[in-house]
mmCIF file of all heavy atoms in Angstrom:
data_model
loop_
_atom_site.group_PDB
_atom_site.id
_atom_site.type_symbol
_atom_site.label_atom_id
_atom_site.label_comp_id
_atom_site.label_asym_id
_atom_site.label_seq_id
_atom_site.Cartn_x
_atom_site.Cartn_y
_atom_site.Cartn_z
ATOM 1 N N GLU A 361 16.157 -7.511 43.819
ATOM 2 C CA GLU A 361 16.356 -7.483 45.263
ATOM 3 C C GLU A 361 15.784 -6.174 45.764
ATOM 4 O O GLU A 361 16.019 -5.125 45.164
ATOM 5 C CB GLU A 361 17.842 -7.558 45.609
ATOM 6 C CG GLU A 361 18.091 -7.439 47.107
ATOM 7 C CD GLU A 361 19.579 -7.345 47.461
ATOM 8 O OE1 GLU A 361 20.208 -8.397 47.595
ATOM 9 O OE2 GLU A 361 20.085 -6.216 47.617
ATOM 10 N N VAL A 364 15.153 -3.011 52.268
ATOM 11 C CA VAL A 364 14.213 -2.271 53.111
ATOM 12 C C VAL A 364 14.909 -1.957 54.430
ATOM 13 O O VAL A 364 15.510 -2.844 55.040
ATOM 14 C CB VAL A 364 12.931 -3.095 53.392
ATOM 15 C CG1 VAL A 364 11.954 -2.299 54.236
ATOM 16 C CG2 VAL A 364 12.275 -3.531 52.092
ATOM 17 N N VAL A 366 15.388 -1.362 58.304
ATOM 18 C CA VAL A 366 14.761 -1.778 59.552
ATOM 19 C C VAL A 366 14.452 -0.520 60.348
ATOM 20 O O VAL A 366 15.313 0.337 60.519
ATOM 21 C CB VAL A 366 15.719 -2.684 60.352
ATOM 22 C CG1 VAL A 366 15.225 -2.911 61.760
ATOM 23 C CG2 VAL A 366 15.906 -4.004 59.631
ATOM 24 N N GLU A 367 13.228 -0.377 60.785
ATOM 25 C CA GLU A 367 12.860 0.800 61.573
ATOM 26 C C GLU A 367 13.264 0.567 63.030
ATOM 27 O O GLU A 367 12.861 -0.426 63.622
ATOM 28 C CB GLU A 367 11.354 1.039 61.490
ATOM 29 C CG GLU A 367 10.884 1.510 60.129
ATOM 30 C CD GLU A 367 11.583 2.787 59.691
ATOM 31 O OE1 GLU A 367 11.722 3.707 60.526
ATOM 32 O OE2 GLU A 367 12.004 2.855 58.525
ATOM 33 N N PRO A 368 14.060 1.483 63.606
ATOM 34 C CA PRO A 368 14.559 1.258 64.968
ATOM 35 C C PRO A 368 13.444 0.914 65.969
ATOM 36 O O PRO A 368 13.615 0.036 66.799
ATOM 37 C CB PRO A 368 15.217 2.593 65.310
ATOM 38 C CG PRO A 368 15.615 3.170 64.000
ATOM 39 C CD PRO A 368 14.585 2.707 63.013
ATOM 40 N N GLN A 369 12.295 1.564 65.853
ATOM 41 C CA GLN A 369 11.260 1.299 66.856
ATOM 42 C C GLN A 369 10.596 -0.065 66.693
ATOM 43 O O GLN A 369 9.940 -0.539 67.603
ATOM 44 C CB GLN A 369 10.223 2.427 66.904
ATOM 45 C CG GLN A 369 9.370 2.593 65.664
ATOM 46 C CD GLN A 369 9.971 3.603 64.690
ATOM 47 O OE1 GLN A 369 11.183 3.609 64.453
ATOM 48 N NE2 GLN A 369 9.156 4.455 64.122
ATOM 49 N N PHE A 370 10.768 -0.668 65.509
ATOM 50 C CA PHE A 370 10.163 -1.987 65.321
ATOM 51 C C PHE A 370 11.214 -3.087 65.296
ATOM 52 O O PHE A 370 10.925 -4.237 65.035
ATOM 53 C CB PHE A 370 9.351 -2.036 64.024
ATOM 54 C CG PHE A 370 8.234 -1.054 63.999
ATOM 55 C CD1 PHE A 370 8.218 -0.011 63.092
ATOM 56 C CD2 PHE A 370 7.187 -1.174 64.916
ATOM 57 C CE1 PHE A 370 7.181 0.899 63.087
ATOM 58 C CE2 PHE A 370 6.151 -0.257 64.909
ATOM 59 C CZ PHE A 370 6.149 0.784 63.999
ATOM 60 N N PHE A 371 12.450 -2.706 65.572
ATOM 61 C CA PHE A 371 13.532 -3.679 65.531
ATOM 62 C C PHE A 371 13.379 -4.671 66.682
ATOM 63 O O PHE A 371 13.237 -4.304 67.836
ATOM 64 C CB PHE A 371 14.868 -2.926 65.623
ATOM 65 C CG PHE A 371 16.030 -3.765 66.046
ATOM 66 C CD1 PHE A 371 16.326 -4.941 65.377
ATOM 67 C CD2 PHE A 371 16.835 -3.387 67.114
ATOM 68 C CE1 PHE A 371 17.395 -5.724 65.762
ATOM 69 C CE2 PHE A 371 17.913 -4.161 67.510
ATOM 70 C CZ PHE A 371 18.185 -5.333 66.827
ATOM 71 N N SER A 372 13.349 -5.947 66.337
ATOM 72 C CA SER A 372 13.304 -6.972 67.374
ATOM 73 C C SER A 372 14.669 -7.621 67.402
ATOM 74 O O SER A 372 15.327 -7.732 66.372
ATOM 75 C CB SER A 372 12.257 -8.020 67.028
ATOM 76 O OG SER A 372 12.533 -9.199 67.747
ATOM 77 N N ASP A 373 15.126 -8.047 68.570
ATOM 78 C CA ASP A 373 16.446 -8.664 68.602
ATOM 79 C C ASP A 373 16.352 -10.183 68.483
ATOM 80 O O ASP A 373 17.288 -10.888 68.792
ATOM 81 C CB ASP A 373 17.215 -8.233 69.855
ATOM 82 C CG ASP A 373 16.738 -8.950 71.095
ATOM 83 O OD1 ASP A 373 15.553 -9.355 71.121
ATOM 84 O OD2 ASP A 373 17.540 -9.109 72.032
ATOM 85 N N GLU A 374 15.203 -10.663 68.020
ATOM 86 C CA GLU A 374 15.097 -12.107 67.801
ATOM 87 C C GLU A 374 15.079 -12.399 66.309
ATOM 88 O O GLU A 374 14.321 -11.789 65.558
ATOM 89 C CB GLU A 374 13.824 -12.642 68.456
ATOM 90 C CG GLU A 374 13.934 -12.648 69.971
ATOM 91 C CD GLU A 374 12.640 -13.091 70.624
ATOM 92 O OE1 GLU A 374 12.063 -14.077 70.141
ATOM 93 O OE2 GLU A 374 12.229 -12.442 71.580
ATOM 94 N N VAL A 375 15.912 -13.348 65.901
ATOM 95 C CA VAL A 375 16.027 -13.678 64.483
ATOM 96 C C VAL A 375 14.668 -14.090 63.921
ATOM 97 O O VAL A 375 14.288 -13.695 62.825
ATOM 98 C CB VAL A 375 17.067 -14.809 64.276
ATOM 99 C CG1 VAL A 375 17.084 -15.253 62.824
ATOM 100 C CG2 VAL A 375 18.445 -14.332 64.696
ATOM 101 N N LYS A 376 13.909 -14.847 64.705
ATOM 102 C CA LYS A 376 12.637 -15.338 64.152
ATOM 103 C C LYS A 376 11.665 -14.193 63.878
ATOM 104 O O LYS A 376 10.908 -14.237 62.916
ATOM 105 C CB LYS A 376 12.014 -16.412 65.054
ATOM 106 C CG LYS A 376 11.533 -15.963 66.414
ATOM 107 C CD LYS A 376 10.712 -17.105 67.056
ATOM 108 C CE LYS A 376 9.995 -16.674 68.319
ATOM 109 N NZ LYS A 376 10.875 -16.551 69.495
ATOM 110 N N GLU A 377 11.740 -13.136 64.698
ATOM 111 C CA GLU A 377 10.872 -11.976 64.456
ATOM 112 C C GLU A 377 11.291 -11.243 63.184
ATOM 113 O O GLU A 377 10.466 -10.875 62.360
ATOM 114 C CB GLU A 377 10.954 -10.997 65.636
ATOM 115 C CG GLU A 377 10.441 -11.552 66.949
ATOM 116 C CD GLU A 377 8.927 -11.689 66.983
ATOM 117 O OE1 GLU A 377 8.257 -10.925 66.262
ATOM 118 O OE2 GLU A 377 8.431 -12.573 67.697
ATOM 119 N N LEU A 378 12.593 -11.027 63.043
ATOM 120 C CA LEU A 378 13.073 -10.310 61.857
ATOM 121 C C LEU A 378 12.833 -11.117 60.588
ATOM 122 O O LEU A 378 12.458 -10.572 59.558
ATOM 123 C CB LEU A 378 14.562 -9.990 61.998
ATOM 124 C CG LEU A 378 14.917 -8.807 62.906
ATOM 125 C CD1 LEU A 378 16.424 -8.638 62.966
ATOM 126 C CD2 LEU A 378 14.277 -7.517 62.439
ATOM 127 N N GLU A 379 13.035 -12.431 60.688
ATOM 128 C CA GLU A 379 12.777 -13.276 59.523
ATOM 129 C C GLU A 379 11.287 -13.286 59.186
ATOM 130 O O GLU A 379 10.890 -13.343 58.030
ATOM 131 C CB GLU A 379 13.300 -14.701 59.749
ATOM 132 C CG GLU A 379 14.814 -14.801 59.657
ATOM 133 C CD GLU A 379 15.337 -14.292 58.326
ATOM 134 O OE1 GLU A 379 15.107 -14.943 57.297
ATOM 135 O OE2 GLU A 379 15.958 -13.206 58.312
ATOM 136 N N ARG A 382 10.660 -10.156 57.334
ATOM 137 C CA ARG A 382 11.176 -10.273 55.969
ATOM 138 C C ARG A 382 10.198 -11.082 55.109
ATOM 139 O O ARG A 382 9.906 -10.721 53.974
ATOM 140 C CB ARG A 382 12.550 -10.954 55.992
ATOM 141 C CG ARG A 382 13.456 -10.597 54.834
ATOM 142 C CD ARG A 382 14.867 -11.116 55.062
ATOM 143 N NE ARG A 382 14.859 -12.564 55.244
ATOM 144 C CZ ARG A 382 14.771 -13.420 54.237
ATOM 145 N NH1 ARG A 382 14.728 -12.997 53.017
ATOM 146 N NH2 ARG A 382 14.751 -14.720 54.484
ATOM 147 N N ILE A 399 14.096 -10.062 49.524
ATOM 148 C CA ILE A 399 14.065 -8.914 50.414
ATOM 149 C C ILE A 399 15.315 -8.927 51.283
ATOM 150 O O ILE A 399 15.653 -9.956 51.867
ATOM 151 C CB ILE A 399 12.824 -8.963 51.338
ATOM 152 C CG1 ILE A 399 11.542 -9.150 50.522
ATOM 153 C CG2 ILE A 399 12.757 -7.718 52.228
ATOM 154 C CD1 ILE A 399 11.213 -8.031 49.571
ATOM 155 N N ARG A 400 15.995 -7.807 51.341
ATOM 156 C CA ARG A 400 17.163 -7.693 52.212
ATOM 157 C C ARG A 400 16.901 -6.583 53.219
ATOM 158 O O ARG A 400 16.603 -5.436 52.849
ATOM 159 C CB ARG A 400 18.403 -7.366 51.380
ATOM 160 C CG ARG A 400 19.657 -7.148 52.237
ATOM 161 C CD ARG A 400 20.784 -6.566 51.399
ATOM 162 N NE ARG A 400 21.379 -7.573 50.548
ATOM 163 C CZ ARG A 400 22.513 -8.230 50.865
ATOM 164 N NH1 ARG A 400 23.141 -7.955 51.982
ATOM 165 N NH2 ARG A 400 23.004 -9.129 50.054
ATOM 166 N N LEU A 401 17.002 -6.940 54.492
ATOM 167 C CA LEU A 401 16.830 -5.923 55.534
ATOM 168 C C LEU A 401 18.160 -5.202 55.729
ATOM 169 O O LEU A 401 19.199 -5.838 55.834
ATOM 170 C CB LEU A 401 16.396 -6.576 56.846
ATOM 171 C CG LEU A 401 15.041 -7.297 56.819
ATOM 172 C CD1 LEU A 401 14.776 -7.974 58.160
ATOM 173 C CD2 LEU A 401 13.916 -6.341 56.483
ATOM 174 N N VAL A 402 18.098 -3.879 55.731
ATOM 175 C CA VAL A 402 19.325 -3.106 55.911
ATOM 176 C C VAL A 402 19.172 -2.142 57.082
ATOM 177 O O VAL A 402 18.060 -1.911 57.576
ATOM 178 C CB VAL A 402 19.723 -2.335 54.629
ATOM 179 C CG1 VAL A 402 19.979 -3.302 53.478
ATOM 180 C CG2 VAL A 402 18.648 -1.325 54.253
ATOM 181 N N GLU A 403 20.280 -1.590 57.525
ATOM 182 C CA GLU A 403 20.257 -0.692 58.677
ATOM 183 C C GLU A 403 19.537 0.614 58.351
ATOM 184 O O GLU A 403 19.505 1.035 57.200
ATOM 185 C CB GLU A 403 21.697 -0.387 59.101
ATOM 186 C CG GLU A 403 22.385 -1.575 59.730
ATOM 187 C CD GLU A 403 23.817 -1.257 60.128
ATOM 188 O OE1 GLU A 403 24.146 -0.063 60.305
ATOM 189 O OE2 GLU A 403 24.601 -2.196 60.264
ATOM 190 N N PRO A 404 18.976 1.235 59.358
ATOM 191 C CA PRO A 404 18.275 2.499 59.117
ATOM 192 C C PRO A 404 19.208 3.553 58.534
ATOM 193 O O PRO A 404 20.412 3.547 58.812
ATOM 194 C CB PRO A 404 17.781 2.915 60.504
ATOM 195 C CG PRO A 404 18.519 2.081 61.482
ATOM 196 C CD PRO A 404 18.930 0.840 60.768
ATOM 197 N N ASN A 405 18.630 4.435 57.732
ATOM 198 C CA ASN A 405 19.363 5.562 57.151
ATOM 199 C C ASN A 405 20.542 5.172 56.279
ATOM 200 O O ASN A 405 21.468 5.949 56.103
ATOM 201 C CB ASN A 405 19.870 6.504 58.257
ATOM 202 C CG ASN A 405 18.705 7.130 58.991
ATOM 203 O OD1 ASN A 405 17.854 7.768 58.366
ATOM 204 N ND2 ASN A 405 18.624 6.910 60.282
ATOM 205 N N THR A 406 20.533 3.966 55.747
ATOM 206 C CA THR A 406 21.641 3.594 54.869
ATOM 207 C C THR A 406 21.258 3.759 53.405
ATOM 208 O O THR A 406 22.103 3.752 52.542
ATOM 209 C CB THR A 406 22.091 2.137 55.105
ATOM 210 O OG1 THR A 406 20.935 1.306 55.099
ATOM 211 C CG2 THR A 406 22.807 2.004 56.426
ATOM 212 N N GLN B 5 20.093 -5.412 78.532
ATOM 213 C CA GLN B 5 20.991 -5.844 77.468
ATOM 214 C C GLN B 5 20.782 -4.925 76.265
ATOM 215 O O GLN B 5 19.688 -4.458 76.020
ATOM 216 C CB GLN B 5 20.640 -7.284 77.090
ATOM 217 C CG GLN B 5 21.365 -7.797 75.872
ATOM 218 C CD GLN B 5 20.717 -9.056 75.329
ATOM 219 O OE1 GLN B 5 21.283 -10.137 75.445
ATOM 220 N NE2 GLN B 5 19.534 -8.922 74.758
ATOM 221 N N SER B 7 20.683 -4.519 72.276
ATOM 222 C CA SER B 7 20.577 -5.303 71.031
ATOM 223 C C SER B 7 20.730 -4.362 69.843
ATOM 224 O O SER B 7 20.129 -3.304 69.808
ATOM 225 C CB SER B 7 19.213 -5.982 70.938
ATOM 226 O OG SER B 7 19.010 -6.801 72.070
ATOM 227 N N VAL B 8 21.554 -4.766 68.876
ATOM 228 C CA VAL B 8 21.834 -3.905 67.721
ATOM 229 C C VAL B 8 21.680 -4.707 66.429
ATOM 230 O O VAL B 8 22.136 -5.843 66.336
ATOM 231 C CB VAL B 8 23.279 -3.333 67.790
ATOM 232 C CG1 VAL B 8 23.498 -2.298 66.694
ATOM 233 C CG2 VAL B 8 23.575 -2.740 69.150
ATOM 234 N N PHE B 9 21.025 -4.087 65.449
ATOM 235 C CA PHE B 9 20.902 -4.703 64.122
ATOM 236 C C PHE B 9 22.130 -4.328 63.310
ATOM 237 O O PHE B 9 22.468 -3.148 63.187
ATOM 238 C CB PHE B 9 19.636 -4.178 63.435
ATOM 239 C CG PHE B 9 19.433 -4.692 62.040
ATOM 240 C CD1 PHE B 9 18.774 -5.895 61.820
ATOM 241 C CD2 PHE B 9 19.899 -3.982 60.937
ATOM 242 C CE1 PHE B 9 18.573 -6.384 60.538
ATOM 243 C CE2 PHE B 9 19.708 -4.470 59.642
ATOM 244 C CZ PHE B 9 19.041 -5.675 59.453
ATOM 245 N N LEU B 10 22.814 -5.321 62.767
ATOM 246 C CA LEU B 10 24.045 -5.057 62.017
ATOM 247 C C LEU B 10 23.989 -5.708 60.652
ATOM 248 O O LEU B 10 23.741 -6.901 60.534
ATOM 249 C CB LEU B 10 25.246 -5.670 62.753
ATOM 250 C CG LEU B 10 25.936 -4.918 63.876
ATOM 251 C CD1 LEU B 10 27.141 -5.738 64.313
ATOM 252 C CD2 LEU B 10 26.377 -3.534 63.440
ATOM 253 N N GLU B 11 24.228 -4.906 59.612
ATOM 254 C CA GLU B 11 24.353 -5.498 58.285
ATOM 255 C C GLU B 11 25.701 -6.189 58.197
ATOM 256 O O GLU B 11 26.664 -5.736 58.800
ATOM 257 C CB GLU B 11 24.346 -4.383 57.235
ATOM 258 C CG GLU B 11 23.008 -4.110 56.636
ATOM 259 C CD GLU B 11 23.092 -2.871 55.768
ATOM 260 O OE1 GLU B 11 23.790 -2.914 54.756
ATOM 261 O OE2 GLU B 11 22.458 -1.876 56.125
ATOM 262 N N ARG B 13 28.621 -6.186 56.820
ATOM 263 C CA ARG B 13 29.363 -5.223 56.032
ATOM 264 C C ARG B 13 30.696 -5.026 56.738
ATOM 265 O O ARG B 13 30.730 -4.854 57.959
ATOM 266 C CB ARG B 13 28.530 -3.930 56.052
ATOM 267 C CG ARG B 13 28.845 -2.897 55.095
ATOM 268 C CD ARG B 13 27.586 -2.124 54.624
ATOM 269 N NE ARG B 13 26.658 -1.601 55.623
ATOM 270 C CZ ARG B 13 26.757 -0.397 56.186
ATOM 271 N NH1 ARG B 13 27.764 0.376 55.907
ATOM 272 N NH2 ARG B 13 25.855 0.019 57.045
ATOM 273 N N ARG B 16 31.704 -2.584 59.981
ATOM 274 C CA ARG B 16 30.545 -2.058 60.702
ATOM 275 C C ARG B 16 30.663 -2.327 62.208
ATOM 276 O O ARG B 16 30.372 -1.469 63.031
ATOM 277 C CB ARG B 16 29.275 -2.690 60.128
ATOM 278 C CG ARG B 16 27.978 -2.004 60.532
ATOM 279 C CD ARG B 16 27.959 -0.542 60.153
ATOM 280 N NE ARG B 16 26.689 0.072 60.541
ATOM 281 C CZ ARG B 16 26.557 1.344 60.891
ATOM 282 N NH1 ARG B 16 27.614 2.131 60.909
ATOM 283 N NH2 ARG B 16 25.393 1.834 61.224
ATOM 284 N N ALA B 37 23.935 -13.191 66.708
ATOM 285 C CA ALA B 37 23.124 -14.175 66.003
ATOM 286 C C ALA B 37 23.178 -13.756 64.547
ATOM 287 O O ALA B 37 22.824 -12.632 64.227
ATOM 288 C CB ALA B 37 21.695 -14.135 66.508
ATOM 289 N N THR B 39 22.552 -14.182 60.244
ATOM 290 C CA THR B 39 21.870 -14.769 59.090
ATOM 291 C C THR B 39 22.744 -14.408 57.893
ATOM 292 O O THR B 39 23.798 -13.803 58.071
ATOM 293 C CB THR B 39 20.466 -14.160 58.904
ATOM 294 O OG1 THR B 39 20.604 -12.825 58.431
ATOM 295 C CG2 THR B 39 19.681 -14.151 60.207
ATOM 296 N N ASP B 41 22.321 -12.176 55.567
ATOM 297 C CA ASP B 41 22.390 -10.750 55.236
ATOM 298 C C ASP B 41 22.729 -9.849 56.414
ATOM 299 O O ASP B 41 23.239 -8.766 56.235
ATOM 300 C CB ASP B 41 21.049 -10.268 54.669
ATOM 301 C CG ASP B 41 20.695 -10.973 53.379
ATOM 302 O OD1 ASP B 41 21.628 -11.454 52.709
ATOM 303 O OD2 ASP B 41 19.498 -11.035 53.050
ATOM 304 N N TYR B 42 22.379 -10.284 57.606
ATOM 305 C CA TYR B 42 22.556 -9.385 58.735
ATOM 306 C C TYR B 42 22.811 -10.183 60.016
ATOM 307 O O TYR B 42 22.664 -11.407 60.044
ATOM 308 C CB TYR B 42 21.311 -8.503 58.938
ATOM 309 C CG TYR B 42 20.047 -9.288 59.169
ATOM 310 C CD1 TYR B 42 19.698 -9.697 60.456
ATOM 311 C CD2 TYR B 42 19.221 -9.650 58.112
ATOM 312 C CE1 TYR B 42 18.547 -10.447 60.678
ATOM 313 C CE2 TYR B 42 18.077 -10.393 58.319
ATOM 314 C CZ TYR B 42 17.738 -10.793 59.609
ATOM 315 O OH TYR B 42 16.620 -11.543 59.820
ATOM 316 N N ILE B 44 22.391 -9.974 64.530
ATOM 317 C CA ILE B 44 21.848 -9.251 65.672
ATOM 318 C C ILE B 44 22.870 -9.374 66.787
ATOM 319 O O ILE B 44 23.200 -10.482 67.223
ATOM 320 C CB ILE B 44 20.490 -9.823 66.122
ATOM 321 C CG1 ILE B 44 19.481 -9.738 64.980
ATOM 322 C CG2 ILE B 44 19.969 -9.048 67.341
ATOM 323 C CD1 ILE B 44 18.241 -10.542 65.242
ATOM 324 N N ARG B 46 24.098 -8.783 70.534
ATOM 325 C CA ARG B 46 23.529 -8.607 71.870
ATOM 326 C C ARG B 46 24.692 -8.472 72.848
ATOM 327 O O ARG B 46 25.639 -9.254 72.797
ATOM 328 C CB ARG B 46 22.682 -9.818 72.254
ATOM 329 C CG ARG B 46 21.514 -10.029 71.310
ATOM 330 C CD ARG B 46 20.988 -11.433 71.422
ATOM 331 N NE ARG B 46 19.954 -11.695 70.431
ATOM 332 C CZ ARG B 46 19.781 -12.880 69.853
ATOM 333 N NH1 ARG B 46 20.575 -13.898 70.158
ATOM 334 N NH2 ARG B 46 18.813 -13.047 68.975
ATOM 335 N N ARG B 60 22.516 5.113 68.759
ATOM 336 C CA ARG B 60 21.395 5.646 67.975
ATOM 337 C C ARG B 60 21.863 6.864 67.176
ATOM 338 O O ARG B 60 21.545 7.007 66.000
ATOM 339 C CB ARG B 60 20.231 6.011 68.897
ATOM 340 C CG ARG B 60 19.018 6.506 68.145
ATOM 341 C CD ARG B 60 17.739 6.264 68.914
ATOM 342 N NE ARG B 60 17.447 4.836 69.029
ATOM 343 C CZ ARG B 60 16.771 4.291 70.044
ATOM 344 N NH1 ARG B 60 16.333 5.047 71.043
ATOM 345 N NH2 ARG B 60 16.526 3.011 70.064
ATOM 346 N N GLY B 63 23.478 6.100 64.089
ATOM 347 C CA GLY B 63 22.636 5.541 63.032
ATOM 348 C C GLY B 63 22.345 4.053 63.142
ATOM 349 O O GLY B 63 21.824 3.451 62.219
ATOM 350 N N PHE B 64 22.673 3.446 64.280
ATOM 351 C CA PHE B 64 22.378 2.023 64.438
ATOM 352 C C PHE B 64 20.922 1.822 64.865
ATOM 353 O O PHE B 64 20.363 2.650 65.587
ATOM 354 C CB PHE B 64 23.275 1.400 65.513
ATOM 355 C CG PHE B 64 24.709 1.242 65.092
ATOM 356 C CD1 PHE B 64 25.646 2.231 65.381
ATOM 357 C CD2 PHE B 64 25.123 0.100 64.413
ATOM 358 C CE1 PHE B 64 26.979 2.088 65.001
ATOM 359 C CE2 PHE B 64 26.451 -0.054 64.028
ATOM 360 C CZ PHE B 64 27.380 0.947 64.322
ATOM 361 N N ALA B 65 20.318 0.712 64.425
ATOM 362 C CA ALA B 65 19.026 0.312 64.971
ATOM 363 C C ALA B 65 19.347 -0.422 66.270
ATOM 364 O O ALA B 65 19.966 -1.476 66.260
ATOM 365 C CB ALA B 65 18.275 -0.600 64.012
ATOM 366 N N VAL B 66 18.984 0.183 67.378
ATOM 367 C CA VAL B 66 19.414 -0.353 68.671
ATOM 368 C C VAL B 66 18.243 -0.323 69.639
ATOM 369 O O VAL B 66 17.363 0.547 69.542
ATOM 370 C CB VAL B 66 20.622 0.470 69.195
ATOM 371 C CG1 VAL B 66 20.318 1.948 69.242
ATOM 372 C CG2 VAL B 66 21.080 0.003 70.562
ATOM 373 N N LYS B 67 18.198 -1.284 70.544
ATOM 374 C CA LYS B 67 17.179 -1.226 71.583
ATOM 375 C C LYS B 67 17.674 -1.928 72.838
ATOM 376 O O LYS B 67 18.598 -2.745 72.782
ATOM 377 C CB LYS B 67 15.856 -1.814 71.105
ATOM 378 C CG LYS B 67 15.844 -3.325 70.982
ATOM 379 C CD LYS B 67 14.566 -3.799 70.345
ATOM 380 C CE LYS B 67 13.547 -4.221 71.376
ATOM 381 N NZ LYS B 67 12.356 -4.820 70.740
ATOM 382 N N THR B 69 16.925 -4.538 75.715
ATOM 383 C CA THR B 69 16.040 -5.654 76.055
ATOM 384 C C THR B 69 16.430 -6.137 77.446
ATOM 385 O O THR B 69 17.572 -5.984 77.874
ATOM 386 C CB THR B 69 16.213 -6.811 75.051
ATOM 387 O OG1 THR B 69 17.586 -6.904 74.686
ATOM 388 C CG2 THR B 69 15.391 -6.582 73.812
ATOM 389 N N ASP B 98 13.883 -17.684 74.845
ATOM 390 C CA ASP B 98 13.979 -17.169 73.481
ATOM 391 C C ASP B 98 15.390 -17.371 72.932
ATOM 392 O O ASP B 98 15.574 -17.821 71.826
ATOM 393 C CB ASP B 98 13.618 -15.685 73.440
ATOM 394 C CG ASP B 98 12.130 -15.460 73.683
ATOM 395 O OD1 ASP B 98 11.351 -16.378 73.344
ATOM 396 O OD2 ASP B 98 11.754 -14.401 74.208
ATOM 397 N N TYR B 99 16.364 -16.989 73.725
ATOM 398 C CA TYR B 99 17.752 -17.239 73.343
ATOM 399 C C TYR B 99 18.614 -17.119 74.574
ATOM 400 O O TYR B 99 18.194 -16.585 75.610
ATOM 401 C CB TYR B 99 18.239 -16.289 72.238
ATOM 402 C CG TYR B 99 18.152 -14.815 72.577
ATOM 403 C CD1 TYR B 99 19.096 -14.199 73.411
ATOM 404 C CD2 TYR B 99 17.138 -14.027 72.033
ATOM 405 C CE1 TYR B 99 19.022 -12.849 73.712
ATOM 406 C CE2 TYR B 99 17.050 -12.675 72.324
ATOM 407 C CZ TYR B 99 17.992 -12.085 73.174
ATOM 408 O OH TYR B 99 17.907 -10.765 73.469
ATOM 409 N N ARG B 115 17.273 -14.780 77.754
ATOM 410 C CA ARG B 115 16.128 -13.950 77.396
ATOM 411 C C ARG B 115 14.916 -14.895 77.326
ATOM 412 O O ARG B 115 14.954 -15.929 76.653
ATOM 413 C CB ARG B 115 16.387 -13.298 76.038
ATOM 414 C CG ARG B 115 15.185 -12.675 75.380
ATOM 415 C CD ARG B 115 14.810 -11.346 75.970
ATOM 416 N NE ARG B 115 13.463 -10.984 75.521
ATOM 417 C CZ ARG B 115 12.784 -9.949 75.981
ATOM 418 N NH1 ARG B 115 13.303 -9.163 76.915
ATOM 419 N NH2 ARG B 115 11.578 -9.687 75.534
ATOM 420 N N ASP B 117 10.333 -14.989 77.633
ATOM 421 C CA ASP B 117 9.112 -14.185 77.598
ATOM 422 C C ASP B 117 8.762 -13.671 78.992
ATOM 423 O O ASP B 117 8.443 -12.516 79.183
ATOM 424 C CB ASP B 117 7.933 -15.022 77.069
ATOM 425 C CG ASP B 117 7.838 -14.896 75.560
ATOM 426 O OD1 ASP B 117 8.496 -13.979 75.025
ATOM 427 O OD2 ASP B 117 7.132 -15.711 74.944
#
Side-chain angles (χ1 to χ4, degrees):
Chain A
E361 176 187 274
V364 181
V366 169
E367 290 303 316
Q369 66 267 43
F370 299 115
F371 161 53
S372 160
D373 77 333
E374 288 176 44
V375 174
K376 67 170 189 284
E377 296 288 333
L378 282 179
E379 285 303 290
R382 207 170 58 79
I399 308 297
R400 177 191 285 262
L401 297 176
V402 299
E403 289 179 22
N405 296 304
T406 49
Chain B
Q5 172 195 251
S7 303
V8 188
F9 177 87
L10 276 185
E11 265 172 66
R13 195 146 50 89
R16 194 57 179 149
T39 72
D41 298 336
Y42 58 87
I44 300 167
R46 299 161 186 146
R60 183 154 293 151
F64 288 93
V66 54
K67 73 187 264 186
T69 37
D98 289 332
Y99 58 78
R115 166 77 194 172
D117 270 346

